[in-house]
Amino acid sequence: MTGEVIFDPLLPLPLIWALAVLAAGIVGFALWRGLAGWWLRGLAALAILAALANPSLQTELRTPLSDIVVLVVDESASQRLSDRPEQTARAVERVRAEVAALDDTELRILRLGDGEGDEGTLLMTALSEALAEVPRARLAGAILLTDGQLHDLERAPALPAPLHALLTGRKDDWDRRLLVQNAPAFAILGEEVTLTLKIEDQGAVPKAMGDTTSVTVSIDGGTPQSYRVPVGQTLDVPVVLDHAGQNVIQFSVAAEEGELTERNNAAVVQINGVRDRLRVLLVSGEPHPGERTWRNLLKSDSSVDLVHFTILRPPDKHDGVPVSELSLIAFPTRELFLDKIDEFDLIIFDRYKRRGILPSIYFDNVRNYVEKGGALLIAAGPDFAGAESIYRSPLADILPAEPSARVIEQGYRPEITDLGRRHPVTEGLKAEAGGAWGRWFRLIDLLPKQGEVVMSGIDDRPLLVLDRVGEGRVALLASDHAWLWSRGFEGGGPQLELLRRLAHWMMKEPELEEEALSATAEGQVMTIIRRSLSQEPRSVEIARPDGGTDRLDLVETAPGRFAATYEGPEMGLYRLTDGTLETVIALGPAAPREFEQTIADGARLEGPVSATRGGIVALSDGMPDLRRVREGRTAHGRGWLGITPRAAYLTSDVTIRPLAPAWVFLLLAALLSLGGWLREGRR
């Protein structure tokens, strides 16, 4: 219980001060006149002023509160190396015992795990959160039990009490890590791209360690290749990507005996392979409205180099018009179809028929080009059904259907077949605003030989047939009326999307493969997608980085698309297979931030610790004692750490009593005034 005198004036304080000045003037005047009772008059004035000030005795009933010590225990990934978990456990028990031995002191423990994603160790954020739940008046000290590797130093809070750090680890700890210093997100197929690596040693490296080590490189989970490289030097690694889409490259350094961890001996780099330029050869047999549709589509893509020739008249037509007035350049048939045919990614014959311009040997060369990996698209018109059809050439061996010589001139709406609903070229194609597609008015009757019919026309006759020939691809569109959609006839249709997908499928873009296994990652969750033309149930086997495996059933989410999600238990490279297809995906960063620095070091904590006069102690040197020190004093010494007693309390009751009733002050003032009058009267 404590007490103090307080004042609760009966009049405004400025008025009381004014009365005090007036009383002082009157007393001063009495003194100047030589009145013998001036001092009695002054005391009477003081009694009146005291009555107006209303002095009271305030008594508080206080309940003492205990001091609080906050202990933040770092349990991030780097704290699980070597014997650090055992060190941490022993230190927690020792701190618990030391705090328990202090009177009126309690311990609050906050355990910190790994940050989300690759945030690293958010030690200061955890300390701030712990302090937010502790009254500052009761905080006697804070202790960080960590290896000193944190990634949010800028969030260090201001403390009214000492901050200390207990460091785990050993003086002879050492580690070797692989660092990816430079890796592009994209690379052009077939061109060399350089990755920059560095292998560095940390800590007390044994003298027996050599200056070189072994590094293995694996692309897309393939057979690794091993190289001998120097340690501590920047390495330029040239890489050439051979396929479009995601390329996963894994680098691994040979593990050495005694190093802290092997988790930072490997790094995974994901590079998206893109084509530099797509070269397309478009040969139009004659001018017609659909010719512009193909040209506009291909020219709208800035990554496409288009070479387009239109046959304005056959060679056997003699009308006296000079050739120089019909073309800017001559049709370089030999250069295009013999010398440079392999430079094209796609060849399109648009309503082309045999007129003697291209001899059979050129068509035979086109067939060889497709079988070796090229792409051929036939946009057929009436010419394809006649005697001069290019089907009557060596191309017949690779075309998926033959013409029946019948051309149907009748209105119809193109339809997607059941197989087409599962094929990536035609999957999900819909009319705008939910309406119906516009009609086409010509269909070349085809007799399918092989391949996949993904679109149909009149009476379910084949309209679009796709096929794989050798290493290449062939597409046959049995109509030249796709341009009606581009004109918006009867609402039009998705002609640009259809033709774009068709061209990209033929050029083997990964996102349009009909049989594909792919995976994307967001944090530690991967989304697995299996595309297939088959309706059979699908499942994948997942090989984890630790060598274990999991099997996951896929669910059909759309025609031809099976999907599932999987949360990886750890960062690293995962291999997926369904028995036919394989793929790899990396979860987490190329090199986890938590393992960039693994040697225990308190250098980064010196700023916030020294600002509170705290100390940093390595547990390998022994656990320090806890002592009480006065506020403002140095809070650490040899073998001990200090906490500051706060003497906080809780006021449970407050009592206020006047020092004396007002009439007592008035009576006293009257007696003093009377005494002054009598003294002066006697004189």
Side-chain angles (χ1 to χ4, degrees):
M1 180 179 293
T2 60
E4 62 177 332
V5 177
I6 63 172
F7 294 91
D8 184 16
L10 301 177
L11 296 177
L13 195 60
L15 180 57
I16 294 178
W17 280 109
L19 293 176
V21 171
L22 178 61
I26 294 174
V27 173
F29 178 75
L31 177 63
W32 176 69
R33 291 294 304 272
L35 298 178
W38 67 269
W39 57 277
L40 292 172
R41 296 179 183 274
L43 292 176
L46 287 177
I48 295 175
L49 292 175
L52 294 175
N54 190 23
S56 303
L57 177 63
Q58 177 177 285
T59 304
E60 294 184 356
L61 183 60
R62 296 178 177 179
T63 302
L65 297 177
S66 60
D67 295 330
I68 296 177
V69 176
V70 174
L71 174 63
V72 180
V73 183
D74 180 3
E75 294 182 345
S76 59
S78 61
Q79 275 286 85
R80 297 192 288 269
L81 302 179
S82 186
D83 65 339
R84 293 179 184 177
E86 291 77 15
Q87 281 186 303
T88 301
R90 290 194 298 268
V92 170
E93 293 304 318
R94 181 64 183 276
V95 171
R96 199 191 305 270
E98 289 286 329
V99 172
L102 298 174
D103 296 334
D104 297 327
T105 306
E106 63 177 279
L107 178 66
R108 295 190 182 180
I109 301 177
L110 175 65
R111 298 183 183 272
L112 168 67
D114 294 322
E116 295 183 2
D118 193 35
E119 292 181 330
T121 303
L122 304 182
L123 191 62
M124 290 302 172
T125 301
L127 178 60
S128 299
E129 293 175 354
L131 296 181
E133 300 179 0
V134 175
R136 291 178 64 87
R138 297 179 61 188
L139 182 65
I143 302 174
L144 304 176
L145 181 49
T146 178
D147 57 3
Q149 302 300 341
L150 69 161
H151 305 96
D152 62 342
L153 186 61
E154 69 282 355
R155 301 179 186 177
L159 276 74
L163 173 65
H164 307 291
L166 299 178
L167 295 183
T168 58
R170 305 287 179 182
K171 293 182 179 180
D172 57 352
D173 285 343
W174 77 280
D175 192 29
R176 173 169 290 174
R177 72 159 179 159
L178 174 64
L179 174 65
V180 179
Q181 294 181 326
N182 176 48
F186 297 87
I188 298 174
L189 296 180
E191 294 189 7
E192 185 177 281
V193 60
T194 301
L195 280 67
T196 305
L197 310 178
K198 186 177 181 180
I199 302 169
E200 64 179 18
D201 290 338
Q202 306 171 0
V205 183
K207 296 181 179 179
M209 290 294 102
D211 296 332
T212 62
T213 187
S214 177
V215 173
T216 58
V217 183
S218 175
I219 300 179
D220 290 332
T223 303
Q225 298 181 353
S226 182
Y227 304 92
R228 199 75 186 173
V229 298
V231 176
Q233 299 182 17
T234 300
L235 307 174
D236 292 331
V237 180
V239 175
V240 178
L241 304 183
D242 59 357
H243 69 84
Q246 200 70 261
N247 292 258
V248 181
I249 306 174
Q250 183 179 25
F251 299 93
S252 301
V253 178
E256 300 290 349
E257 183 179 358
E259 63 175 315
L260 274 179
T261 179
E262 300 178 14
R263 289 288 300 275
N264 54 8
N265 288 29
V268 178
V269 177
Q270 301 184 72
I271 305 177
N272 192 26
V274 296
R275 300 177 187 271
D276 181 19
R277 307 290 294 176
L278 300 176
R279 300 203 64 194
V280 179
L281 173 61
L282 173 61
V283 181
S284 299
E286 60 185 46
H288 71 101
E291 176 185 7
R292 177 165 295 184
T293 299
W294 287 108
R295 182 178 181 86
N296 290 345
L297 166 70
L298 297 170
K299 293 295 290 183
S300 65
D301 192 339
S302 60
S303 65
V304 172
D305 287 337
L306 176 64
V307 179
H308 184 197
F309 288 94
T310 302
I311 309 302
L312 298 178
R313 66 176 181 175
D316 56 355
K317 184 176 181 179
H318 302 287
D319 53 9
V321 179
V323 175
S324 59
E325 296 183 11
L326 294 175
S327 64
L328 297 177
I329 62 172
F331 190 9
T333 55
R334 178 180 178 83
E335 182 180 6
L336 292 177
F337 292 95
L338 287 181
D339 299 337
K340 296 185 177 181
I341 188 172
D342 293 332
E343 296 181 5
F344 291 101
D345 298 292
L346 173 63
I347 297 177
I348 303 175
F349 284 111
D350 174 33
R351 288 192 59 170
Y352 183 85
K353 60 183 177 181
R354 300 175 63 195
R355 291 178 169 178
I357 298 177
L358 298 179
S360 294
I361 188 174
Y362 288 2
F363 287 112
D364 189 60
N365 210 33
V366 173
R367 178 178 59 82
N368 292 331
Y369 155 80
V370 173
E371 291 176 344
K372 293 179 181 178
L376 174 65
L377 171 60
I378 306 293
D383 52 272
F384 192 74
E388 296 179 338
S389 169
I390 59 175
Y391 185 81
R392 319 297 176 186
S393 72
L395 293 182
D397 296 337
I398 62 174
L399 294 181
E402 64 176 301
S404 67
R406 181 184 177 189
V407 178
I408 304 175
E409 303 279 354
Q410 177 183 334
Y412 65 94
R413 299 187 190 277
E415 299 287 344
I416 298 177
T417 65
D418 291 339
L419 182 63
R421 292 186 178 90
R422 310 179 69 82
H423 201 287
V425 171
T426 50
E427 173 202 10
L429 289 179
K430 298 179 180 178
E432 294 184 3
W437 290 341
R439 289 180 297 166
W440 294 0
F441 292 91
R442 182 178 292 147
L443 179 67
I444 312 304
D445 190 31
L446 299 178
L447 303 175
K449 301 187 301 182
Q450 57 200 25
E452 300 155 349
V453 179
V454 297
M455 292 185 70
S456 61
I458 303 170
D459 298 330
D460 293 331
R461 287 181 170 87
L463 177 59
L464 177 59
V465 187
L466 309 177
D467 192 22
R468 296 171 180 257
V469 179
E471 298 180 5
R473 303 185 181 188
V474 177
L476 177 57
L477 180 62
S479 178
D480 59 346
H481 277 192
W483 61 273
L484 289 172
W485 278 355
S486 65
R487 300 286 179 88
F489 176 73
E490 293 185 348
Q495 79 288 345
L496 289 179
E497 179 64 15
L498 172 62
L499 300 181
R500 184 195 67 82
R501 290 191 193 180
L502 184 59
H504 285 199
W505 174 82
M506 301 191 69
M507 290 183 285
K508 304 177 183 178
E509 292 298 320
E511 66 271 14
L512 287 170
E513 291 294 298
E514 59 267 44
E515 297 290 337
L517 177 63
S518 62
T520 58
E522 183 175 351
Q524 288 297 109
V525 178
M526 72 173 74
T527 301
I528 305 169
I529 298 176
R530 174 66 162 96
R531 301 193 65 123
S532 177
L533 300 182
S534 171
Q535 299 183 17
E536 298 178 359
R538 299 285 175 176
S539 63
V540 294
E541 184 179 272
I542 305 172
R544 303 191 303 267
D546 60 4
T549 59
D550 294 318
R551 179 161 290 277
L552 185 66
D553 293 329
L554 305 182
V555 178
E556 188 171 13
T557 58
R561 184 186 295 266
F562 301 82
T565 58
Y566 174 81
E567 184 172 358
E570 59 180 320
M571 294 180 288
L573 190 68
Y574 289 76
R575 289 177 169 82
L576 288 71
T577 179
D578 67 345
T580 303
L581 301 177
E582 295 184 359
T583 189
V584 294
I585 184 173
L587 295 185
R593 191 177 187 185
E594 190 64 34
F595 295 100
E596 289 181 358
Q597 301 290 334
T598 57
I599 306 301
D601 186 7
R604 303 193 65 192
L605 292 171
E606 288 183 355
V609 169
S610 60
T612 62
R613 298 177 177 267
I616 301 175
V617 178
L619 292 177
S620 58
D621 294 335
M623 179 67 192
D625 299 328
L626 288 184
R627 300 180 184 176
R628 285 193 171 99
V629 296
R630 291 198 303 272
E631 187 174 356
R633 299 288 298 272
T634 300
H636 69 97
R638 185 174 183 179
W640 64 273
L641 297 175
I643 62 173
T644 302
R646 305 295 290 171
Y649 58 88
L650 176 65
T651 301
S652 57
D653 188 24
V654 177
T655 303
I656 300 177
R657 295 188 180 90
L659 287 179
W663 63 268
V664 173
F665 288 102
L666 293 177
L667 178 60
L668 179 61
L671 293 175
L672 291 172
S673 298
L674 179 61
W677 178 72
L678 293 175
R679 181 177 178 83
E680 293 171 358
R682 187 181 306 114
R683 182 177 179 184

